[in-house]
Amino acid sequence: MKIPLGGVAAPGSSRLNKTGGWRVFYPEFLHIRCTDCGLCQKLCPEGCVFRQDKKVYYADMDYCKGCGICAEECPVDDIEMKPEVR
Ligand code: SF4
Ligand code: SF4
């Protein structure tokens, strides 16, 4: 999506930007201690965390920008940020 200089993106348009290209770190969902609290999904600013099954969450890497909020907020440290290898 092209945003004009000084312009503002239209609301709800974040899915048009594949923000995964910004990533320097990526979240690794360990699937060991997850309690299914859903915080990672609720707090991800890109809305790119999905629940695949009970206690199994994953991030859509096309959109994950590697901000680390999910890992920081996971109450049982079941998400680790790892350096991205490109
Ligand atoms: S690192 Fe940031 S963008 Fe990626 S899944 Fe976690 S909260 Fe979402
Ligand atoms: S924040 Fe942690 S414990 Fe909660 S659903 Fe996500 S991975 Fe599981």
Side-chain angles (χ1 to χ4, degrees):
M1 180 179 64
K2 192 171 179 182
I3 300 175
L5 192 63
V8 177
S13 60
S14 66
R15 296 301 286 180
L16 300 176
N17 289 307
K18 290 205 170 177
T19 44
W22 303 358
R23 205 171 48 246
V24 179
F25 290 88
Y26 73 93
E28 186 170 303
F29 288 71
L30 303 179
H31 306 144
I32 298 170
R33 295 178 290 269
C34 179
T35 60
D36 226 354
C37 73
L39 268 182
C40 52
Q41 189 175 33
K42 289 185 187 98
L43 297 177
C44 172
E46 293 302 319
C48 68
V49 175
F50 297 95
R51 184 179 189 267
Q52 183 178 324
D53 206 342
K54 193 173 181 210
K55 300 182 181 180
V56 180
Y57 289 75
Y58 71 95
D60 181 340
M61 290 301 161
D62 278 347
Y63 297 96
C64 170
K65 60 188 178 188
C67 66
I69 290 174
C70 55
E72 186 66 31
E73 297 300 329
C74 175
V76 291
D77 294 332
D78 204 38
I79 306 169
E80 285 180 2
M81 297 306 290
K82 299 274 175 75
E84 184 66 74
V85 180
R86 294 194 190 268

